[in-house]
């Protein structure tokens, strides 16, 4: 049979929708469990993208052979909202033998959370370590199949850390590893009106980004209308944002933003484009990535910090590419590293200028790679609208005087 404590769905008015309710709680104690009972504690759905799903409830079971019991967080494959969605919190006073998070369940570890011997996160489940919390990963820590980990506080892991295929890891603070292997995606939080977040990783051993791996800072920079190189606002087409290269001029004179940041030590994020006559600020520049590796950096996948292309209906200028700063001993691989500017808006009458390219700097002792580097300016769509200027790509061997 079935035991369920599922929440109700939010209201579905055509203009004002309600959020889904949070799932309930189930606890079952038994000496022996020979059943195949279905247990459900799902959050309710939000009827549109404007209203959030409710968080999953808790399903706790303990048999005579368990020491502490087992906890399941399952949200019936609702939409997972990282950093701004509803979460299920784990109390810091309760011990568990295992924790399983799946089907878009999203768990936030509480203050002083203790280690759980076996943790499994899969089927698009998520785990967040909030600010001020230190969580030591478990003896058995499995994450796969679309799982997400958000580290705002401190996640204490084995010194060698792997991001599996199809998973996403958000290291919000500066993070150090021994060896880091990336088969999935390392992502970051979006900035906006100020530069708050950078993907900043230090490896005392090697960094390996395999062919399926990605370190992704696309669209994580300044929002449209913000940044030191913001394009000019215009009643027609906005100017492109500037960073390593200047932003392109928009239709009817919306000036492109100025170049800014450092060529040799880039740590700044890409500026947004100027807002056009019917444009929006929801298109962001590229973010910032800094990777410091004592040993070998192998890039067979991709590192990206691109600005976002404007939609065809927009008049806002393209956003600028971000920054990628790599320091390593040996460089290997055949992958790509890009900090390209975004395309200007392509409205039928008022087009935005292209975003300026970003900045890339790479320091190494030995380069055995054939990595492709790009810091292109964003394109425009009309002859009277400018492309963004190219950004900068700086490389320096330890034996070189200047690079």
């Amino acid at each position: 049979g079935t035991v369920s404590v599922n929440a109700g769905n939010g209201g579905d008015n055509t203009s004002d929708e309600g959020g889904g309710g949070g799932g309930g709680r189930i606890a079952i104690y038994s000496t022996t469990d020979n059943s195949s009972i279905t247990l459900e504690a799902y959050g309710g759905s939000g009827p549109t993208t404007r209203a959030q799903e409710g968080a999953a409830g808790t399903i706790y079971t303990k048999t005579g052979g368990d020491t502490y019991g087992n906890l399941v967080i399952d949200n019936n494959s609702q939409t997972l909202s990282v950093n701004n969605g509803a979460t299920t919190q784990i109390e810091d006073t309760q011990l568990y033998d295992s924790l399983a998070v799946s089907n878009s369940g999203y768990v936030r570890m509480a203050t002083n959370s203790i280690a759980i011997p076996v943790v499994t996160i899969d089927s698009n489940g998520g785990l967040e370590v909030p600010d001020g919390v230190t969580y030591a990963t478990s003896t058995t820590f499995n994450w796969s199949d679309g799982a997400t980990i958000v580290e705002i506080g401190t996640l204490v892991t084995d010194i060698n850390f792997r991001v599996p295929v199809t998973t996403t890891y958000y290291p919000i603070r500066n993070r150090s590893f021994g060896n880091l292997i990336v088969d999935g995606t390392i992502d970051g939080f979006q900035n906006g009106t100020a530069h708050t977040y950078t993907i900043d990783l230090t490896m005392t051993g090697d960094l390996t980004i395999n062919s399926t791996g990605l370190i992704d800072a696309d669209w994580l920079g300044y929002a449209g209308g913000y940044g030191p190189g913001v394009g000019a606002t215009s009643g027609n087409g906005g100017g492109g944002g500037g960073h390593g290269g200047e932003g392109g001029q928009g239709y009817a004179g919306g000036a492109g933003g100025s170049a800014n940041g450092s060529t040799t030590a880039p740590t700044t994020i890409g500026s947004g484009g100027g807002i056009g006559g019917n444009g929006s600020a929801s298109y962001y520049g590229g973010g910032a990535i800094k990777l410091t590796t004592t040993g070998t950096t192998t890039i067979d996948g991709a590192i990206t910090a691109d600005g976002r292309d404007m939609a065809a209906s927009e008049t806002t200028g393209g956003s600028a590419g971000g920054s990628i700063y790599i320091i390593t001993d040996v460089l290997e691989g055949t992958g790509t590293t890009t900090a390209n500017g975004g395309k200007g808006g392509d409205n039928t009458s008022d087009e935005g200028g292209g975003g300026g390219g970003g900045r890339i700097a790479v320091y190494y002792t030995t380069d055995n790679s054939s990595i492709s580097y790009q810091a292109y300016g964003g394109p425009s769509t009309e002859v009277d609208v400018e492309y963004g200027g190219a950004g900068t790509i700086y490389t320096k061997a330890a034996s070189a005087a200047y690079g």
Side-chain angles (χ1 to χ4, degrees), residues 76-370:
N76 195 32
S77 299
Q78 305 273 27
T79 301
L80 176 63
S81 297
V82 173
N83 192 41
N84 61 0
T87 64
T88 306
Q89 288 209 356
I90 303 296
E91 307 102 314
D92 58 1
T93 57
Q94 178 64 49
L95 301 176
Y96 302 100
D97 294 317
S98 70
L99 168 66
V101 186
S102 63
N103 296 321
S104 299
Y106 188 38
V107 169
R108 178 176 290 135
M109 308 305 288
T111 304
N112 300 321
S113 294
I114 45 80
I116 300 169
V118 179
V119 171
T120 302
I121 309 170
D122 59 16
S123 301
N124 298 310
L127 181 145
E128 178 182 317
V129 183
D131 191 27
V133 172
T134 297
Y135 170 60
T137 54
S138 310
T139 304
T140 302
F141 187 82
N142 299 313
W143 58 309
S144 62
D145 191 20
T148 298
I149 293 179
V150 179
E151 183 182 5
I152 304 172
T154 302
L155 180 69
V156 180
T157 66
D158 184 83
I159 192 169
N160 300 320
F161 190 69
R162 179 186 291 270
V163 181
V165 173
T166 76
T167 66
T168 305
Y169 170 52
Y170 292 80
I172 307 307
R173 64 182 186 88
N174 297 353
R175 190 67 162 84
S176 295
F177 302 94
N179 298 315
L180 174 61
I181 300 172
V182 184
D183 292 314
T185 299
I186 294 179
D187 208 333
F189 283 178
Q190 208 163 52
N191 286 279
T193 61
H195 184 179
T196 304
Y197 303 112
T198 294
I199 299 174
D200 189 346
L201 308 177
T202 299
M203 282 58 64
T204 58
D206 299 330
L207 168 62
T208 303
I209 305 172
N210 288 319
S211 60
T212 58
L214 169 65
I215 299 181
D216 183 7
D218 290 351
W219 314 349
L220 299 184
Y222 288 105
Y226 292 93
V230 63
T233 296
S234 169
N236 299 106
H243 190 196
E246 294 179 339
Q249 178 177 294
Y251 178 76
S258 61
N260 59 92
S262 170
T263 299
T264 58
T267 59
T268 44
I269 59 178
S271 292
I275 308 299
N278 70 339
S280 72
S282 60
Y283 295 84
Y284 290 68
I289 299 170
K290 184 178 181 182
L291 305 172
T292 306
T293 305
T294 300
T296 298
T297 295
T298 302
I299 304 172
D300 285 321
I303 302 172
T304 62
D306 296 338
R308 187 174 182 181
D309 291 338
M310 296 299 107
S313 59
E314 284 279 344
T315 57
T316 295
S319 51
S323 64
I324 299 172
Y325 187 11
I326 298 172
I327 303 169
T328 191
D329 181 22
V330 179
L331 198 58
E332 303 271 1
T334 59
T336 59
T337 299
T338 66
N340 297 324
K343 176 183 176 182
D346 187 14
N347 189 279
T348 55
S349 59
D350 298 310
E351 299 82 12
R359 294 190 183 275
I360 297 172
V362 182
Y363 292 77
Y364 57 87
T365 303
T366 303
D367 185 0
N368 300 320
S369 75
S370 56

